[in-house]
Each structure stands twice: as structure tokens, then as C-alpha cells.
Amino acid sequence: FGTACAALESRWDSLDEILPSCLENQVLLDYNKEHRGPLLWITAPAAVDGLKLLAAAGILGEPGTNFGAGANSARVNLVGSASSWALLLPRLRQLCAAPARQVWARVEAARAAAPARRHPFVA
């Protein structure tokens, strides 16, 4: 348990270095920076689907609507394997470094290209 807690804390330290630039660029309105648990919750601007925002960066998440949040929210599991983390971190870094205009163009392209994703356990 101690090893897992240390790994999760290290992952959050990395996220705290990256995600503030997403807030500054207004790509994200918020993330759960005070609640450093096993899930990263992101909140996109109101008109943006949080899941599509993540998908535009090549990140698989879960829609916030499955958990009582708005469509502009999504969550990402942070306790996956080291190889999953090795994929997630640079993708988040790239998303947060991109100009907002470029991010919104990718989100719009993802919206046009794919139908809405449904959770496999929800009818």
C-alpha cells in the first residue's frame, strides 16, 4: 500500500506541474487539485464535452454524466499500469501546451468523426 500511495503522489506532483497551463489557456476550467485521489476529474468550458476534449488528446476517459456530473466533466483513472501512465502524461502535457484555438479545432474534429460514446454498463 505504501508503494502505491507514493506512486500516486508522484503522479499528482507531475499533474500539478502540467495542468495549471491548461487552466491558464482556458482549455480546462478546473480539475480536482485539492482531492488528490485515484481519479483525475477535469472540467472543460460549458460548451465543450469533457470526454471529447480528452479524446482529442488521445486519452480515454469516462464521461462525467455517468457519475452525476455535467457533460463538460470527465474522469481519468490514475492508478493504472506504469505503461498507461507513460502514455497519459505526455498526452496531457501536449494538450496543455497547445494553444486553445488548436485544442478546440481538434475537439470539433473528434466530435464530427465519432458518435457519442456510451458507458458499457449503462443501457
PDB file of all heavy atoms in Angstrom, residues 41-59:
ATOM      1  N   TRP A  41     -10.339  14.279 -12.220  1.00  0.00           N
ATOM      2  CA  TRP A  41     -11.581  14.835 -12.752  1.00  0.00           C
ATOM      3  C   TRP A  41     -11.237  16.149 -13.415  1.00  0.00           C
ATOM      4  O   TRP A  41     -10.606  17.012 -12.802  1.00  0.00           O
ATOM      5  CB  TRP A  41     -12.591  15.088 -11.640  1.00  0.00           C
ATOM      6  CG  TRP A  41     -13.367  13.885 -11.245  1.00  0.00           C
ATOM      7  CD1 TRP A  41     -13.052  12.985 -10.269  1.00  0.00           C
ATOM      8  CD2 TRP A  41     -14.595  13.451 -11.812  1.00  0.00           C
ATOM      9  NE1 TRP A  41     -14.027  12.029 -10.197  1.00  0.00           N
ATOM     10  CE2 TRP A  41     -14.984  12.277 -11.134  1.00  0.00           C
ATOM     11  CE3 TRP A  41     -15.413  13.931 -12.826  1.00  0.00           C
ATOM     12  CZ2 TRP A  41     -16.149  11.586 -11.440  1.00  0.00           C
ATOM     13  CZ3 TRP A  41     -16.573  13.245 -13.134  1.00  0.00           C
ATOM     14  CH2 TRP A  41     -16.931  12.080 -12.435  1.00  0.00           C
ATOM     15  N   ILE A  42     -11.626  16.311 -14.664  1.00  0.00           N
ATOM     16  CA  ILE A  42     -11.415  17.571 -15.365  1.00  0.00           C
ATOM     17  C   ILE A  42     -12.772  18.204 -15.676  1.00  0.00           C
ATOM     18  O   ILE A  42     -13.769  17.493 -15.835  1.00  0.00           O
ATOM     19  CB  ILE A  42     -10.596  17.397 -16.660  1.00  0.00           C
ATOM     20  CG1 ILE A  42     -11.269  16.441 -17.661  1.00  0.00           C
ATOM     21  CG2 ILE A  42      -9.199  16.901 -16.333  1.00  0.00           C
ATOM     22  CD1 ILE A  42     -11.869  17.120 -18.841  1.00  0.00           C
ATOM     23  N   THR A  43     -12.796  19.520 -15.718  1.00  0.00           N
ATOM     24  CA  THR A  43     -13.994  20.252 -16.109  1.00  0.00           C
ATOM     25  C   THR A  43     -13.602  21.174 -17.248  1.00  0.00           C
ATOM     26  O   THR A  43     -12.756  22.054 -17.088  1.00  0.00           O
ATOM     27  CB  THR A  43     -14.566  21.070 -14.943  1.00  0.00           C
ATOM     28  OG1 THR A  43     -14.795  20.196 -13.839  1.00  0.00           O
ATOM     29  CG2 THR A  43     -15.867  21.751 -15.339  1.00  0.00           C
ATOM     30  N   ALA A  44     -14.202  20.937 -18.394  1.00  0.00           N
ATOM     31  CA  ALA A  44     -13.968  21.760 -19.582  1.00  0.00           C
ATOM     32  C   ALA A  44     -14.948  22.926 -19.578  1.00  0.00           C
ATOM     33  O   ALA A  44     -15.912  22.930 -18.808  1.00  0.00           O
ATOM     34  CB  ALA A  44     -14.164  20.904 -20.840  1.00  0.00           C
ATOM     35  N   PRO A  45     -14.726  23.938 -20.426  1.00  0.00           N
ATOM     36  CA  PRO A  45     -15.718  25.002 -20.546  1.00  0.00           C
ATOM     37  C   PRO A  45     -17.108  24.430 -20.854  1.00  0.00           C
ATOM     38  O   PRO A  45     -17.229  23.347 -21.435  1.00  0.00           O
ATOM     39  CB  PRO A  45     -15.189  25.843 -21.708  1.00  0.00           C
ATOM     40  CG  PRO A  45     -13.710  25.618 -21.664  1.00  0.00           C
ATOM     41  CD  PRO A  45     -13.550  24.176 -21.257  1.00  0.00           C
ATOM     42  N   ALA A  46     -18.136  25.152 -20.485  1.00  0.00           N
ATOM     43  CA  ALA A  46     -19.513  24.653 -20.536  1.00  0.00           C
ATOM     44  C   ALA A  46     -19.937  24.079 -21.881  1.00  0.00           C
ATOM     45  O   ALA A  46     -20.643  23.082 -21.925  1.00  0.00           O
ATOM     46  CB  ALA A  46     -20.479  25.763 -20.123  1.00  0.00           C
ATOM     47  N   ALA A  47     -19.517  24.658 -22.964  1.00  0.00           N
ATOM     48  CA  ALA A  47     -19.958  24.198 -24.284  1.00  0.00           C
ATOM     49  C   ALA A  47     -19.138  23.028 -24.810  1.00  0.00           C
ATOM     50  O   ALA A  47     -19.397  22.534 -25.901  1.00  0.00           O
ATOM     51  CB  ALA A  47     -19.902  25.351 -25.278  1.00  0.00           C
ATOM     52  N   VAL A  48     -18.162  22.562 -24.044  1.00  0.00           N
ATOM     53  CA  VAL A  48     -17.244  21.517 -24.512  1.00  0.00           C
ATOM     54  C   VAL A  48     -17.506  20.219 -23.764  1.00  0.00           C
ATOM     55  O   VAL A  48     -17.586  20.198 -22.542  1.00  0.00           O
ATOM     56  CB  VAL A  48     -15.775  21.957 -24.310  1.00  0.00           C
ATOM     57  CG1 VAL A  48     -14.818  20.865 -24.736  1.00  0.00           C
ATOM     58  CG2 VAL A  48     -15.498  23.245 -25.062  1.00  0.00           C
ATOM     59  N   ASP A  49     -17.621  19.127 -24.499  1.00  0.00           N
ATOM     60  CA  ASP A  49     -17.763  17.799 -23.921  1.00  0.00           C
ATOM     61  C   ASP A  49     -16.398  17.373 -23.358  1.00  0.00           C
ATOM     62  O   ASP A  49     -15.422  17.291 -24.097  1.00  0.00           O
ATOM     63  CB  ASP A  49     -18.229  16.829 -25.012  1.00  0.00           C
ATOM     64  CG  ASP A  49     -18.491  15.431 -24.497  1.00  0.00           C
ATOM     65  OD1 ASP A  49     -17.632  14.892 -23.754  1.00  0.00           O
ATOM     66  OD2 ASP A  49     -19.528  14.865 -24.838  1.00  0.00           O
ATOM     67  N   GLY A  50     -16.333  17.139 -22.052  1.00  0.00           N
ATOM     68  CA  GLY A  50     -15.077  16.766 -21.404  1.00  0.00           C
ATOM     69  C   GLY A  50     -14.458  15.510 -21.977  1.00  0.00           C
ATOM     70  O   GLY A  50     -13.237  15.406 -22.121  1.00  0.00           O
ATOM     71  N   LEU A  51     -15.297  14.542 -22.318  1.00  0.00           N
ATOM     72  CA  LEU A  51     -14.797  13.297 -22.884  1.00  0.00           C
ATOM     73  C   LEU A  51     -14.187  13.532 -24.264  1.00  0.00           C
ATOM     74  O   LEU A  51     -13.147  12.974 -24.590  1.00  0.00           O
ATOM     75  CB  LEU A  51     -15.927  12.273 -22.960  1.00  0.00           C
ATOM     76  CG  LEU A  51     -15.521  10.834 -23.223  1.00  0.00           C
ATOM     77  CD1 LEU A  51     -14.610  10.317 -22.123  1.00  0.00           C
ATOM     78  CD2 LEU A  51     -16.742   9.962 -23.342  1.00  0.00           C
ATOM     79  N   LYS A  52     -14.812  14.389 -25.048  1.00  0.00           N
ATOM     80  CA  LYS A  52     -14.279  14.707 -26.384  1.00  0.00           C
ATOM     81  C   LYS A  52     -12.977  15.496 -26.281  1.00  0.00           C
ATOM     82  O   LYS A  52     -12.091  15.356 -27.108  1.00  0.00           O
ATOM     83  CB  LYS A  52     -15.308  15.477 -27.193  1.00  0.00           C
ATOM     84  CG  LYS A  52     -16.573  14.705 -27.465  1.00  0.00           C
ATOM     85  CD  LYS A  52     -16.603  14.194 -28.872  1.00  0.00           C
ATOM     86  CE  LYS A  52     -17.965  13.708 -29.280  1.00  0.00           C
ATOM     87  NZ  LYS A  52     -18.327  12.404 -28.892  1.00  0.00           N
ATOM     88  N   LEU A  53     -12.875  16.327 -25.255  1.00  0.00           N
ATOM     89  CA  LEU A  53     -11.631  17.052 -25.024  1.00  0.00           C
ATOM     90  C   LEU A  53     -10.490  16.074 -24.781  1.00  0.00           C
ATOM     91  O   LEU A  53      -9.421  16.190 -25.376  1.00  0.00           O
ATOM     92  CB  LEU A  53     -11.782  18.008 -23.846  1.00  0.00           C
ATOM     93  CG  LEU A  53     -10.516  18.725 -23.396  1.00  0.00           C
ATOM     94  CD1 LEU A  53      -9.987  19.643 -24.485  1.00  0.00           C
ATOM     95  CD2 LEU A  53     -10.773  19.502 -22.117  1.00  0.00           C
ATOM     96  N   LEU A  54     -10.729  15.095 -23.924  1.00  0.00           N
ATOM     97  CA  LEU A  54      -9.708  14.081 -23.671  1.00  0.00           C
ATOM     98  C   LEU A  54      -9.423  13.263 -24.926  1.00  0.00           C
ATOM     99  O   LEU A  54      -8.265  12.976 -25.244  1.00  0.00           O
ATOM    100  CB  LEU A  54     -10.145  13.161 -22.526  1.00  0.00           C
ATOM    101  CG  LEU A  54     -10.234  13.789 -21.144  1.00  0.00           C
ATOM    102  CD1 LEU A  54     -10.795  12.786 -20.147  1.00  0.00           C
ATOM    103  CD2 LEU A  54      -8.886  14.313 -20.691  1.00  0.00           C
ATOM    104  N   ALA A  55     -10.468  12.887 -25.644  1.00  0.00           N
ATOM    105  CA  ALA A  55     -10.307  12.082 -26.858  1.00  0.00           C
ATOM    106  C   ALA A  55      -9.474  12.819 -27.902  1.00  0.00           C
ATOM    107  O   ALA A  55      -8.685  12.205 -28.620  1.00  0.00           O
ATOM    108  CB  ALA A  55     -11.663  11.700 -27.437  1.00  0.00           C
ATOM    109  N   ALA A  56      -9.622  14.130 -27.969  1.00  0.00           N
ATOM    110  CA  ALA A  56      -8.848  14.922 -28.927  1.00  0.00           C
ATOM    111  C   ALA A  56      -7.351  14.842 -28.626  1.00  0.00           C
ATOM    112  O   ALA A  56      -6.522  15.030 -29.516  1.00  0.00           O
ATOM    113  CB  ALA A  56      -9.307  16.370 -28.910  1.00  0.00           C
ATOM    114  N   ALA A  57      -7.012  14.534 -27.383  1.00  0.00           N
ATOM    115  CA  ALA A  57      -5.615  14.368 -26.989  1.00  0.00           C
ATOM    116  C   ALA A  57      -5.194  12.904 -26.992  1.00  0.00           C
ATOM    117  O   ALA A  57      -4.086  12.577 -26.593  1.00  0.00           O
ATOM    118  CB  ALA A  57      -5.399  14.968 -25.607  1.00  0.00           C
ATOM    119  N   GLY A  58      -6.093  12.017 -27.406  1.00  0.00           N
ATOM    120  CA  GLY A  58      -5.779  10.590 -27.425  1.00  0.00           C
ATOM    121  C   GLY A  58      -5.867   9.937 -26.058  1.00  0.00           C
ATOM    122  O   GLY A  58      -5.220   8.929 -25.803  1.00  0.00           O
ATOM    123  N   ILE A  59      -6.685  10.505 -25.183  1.00  0.00           N
ATOM    124  CA  ILE A  59      -6.825   9.996 -23.814  1.00  0.00           C
ATOM    125  C   ILE A  59      -8.216   9.408 -23.640  1.00  0.00           C
ATOM    126  O   ILE A  59      -9.216  10.055 -23.951  1.00  0.00           O
ATOM    127  CB  ILE A  59      -6.618  11.136 -22.794  1.00  0.00           C
ATOM    128  CG1 ILE A  59      -5.211  11.711 -22.942  1.00  0.00           C
ATOM    129  CG2 ILE A  59      -6.868  10.652 -21.373  1.00  0.00           C
ATOM    130  CD1 ILE A  59      -4.996  13.003 -22.188  1.00  0.00           C
TER     131      ILE A  59
END
